[in-house]
Amino acid sequence: DSLTGLLDHSQIRKKLAEAIATAKSEGMKLTFALVDLDHIGEVNSVLGSTGGDRVLQTLSGYRTGSGCCLDSD
């Protein structure tokens, strides 16, 4: 996605399949989380499309590589 930098559905499926295969072959554990935002249309209605875009960009910053995830438990 050009706005958020996040993967689209088909890219997610491809990357997840690759990650599962790698984890299996290397005997590693794998965790996958998917977040679905409900009512983003209402956010746009209240904040306008620019405000809604900022919300999406902010939330997309919490993905892997932004310091929210641990390399191990």
Side-chain angles (χ1 to χ4, degrees):
D1 179 285
S2 62
L3 176 66
T4 63
L6 297 174
L7 302 176
D8 66 22
H9 181 78
S10 63
Q11 293 169 321
I12 290 170
R13 290 176 58 95
K14 180 181 176 189
K15 292 283 188 181
L16 182 57
E18 291 170 358
I20 290 169
T22 299
K24 282 183 179 180
S25 70
E26 296 182 12
M28 299 174 59
K29 294 179 181 179
L30 176 69
T31 301
F32 174 75
L34 180 66
V35 176
D36 182 22
L37 300 176
D38 291 331
H39 310 291
I40 196 66
E42 291 177 31
V43 172
N44 284 340
S45 294
V46 172
L47 301 176
S49 61
T50 302
D53 288 351
R54 277 193 234 128
V55 168
L56 292 173
Q57 289 169 325
T58 299
L59 292 173
S60 71
Y62 295 111
R63 67 189 190 278
T64 301
S66 299
C68 73
C69 302
L70 302 174
D71 291 332
S72 63
D73 52 26

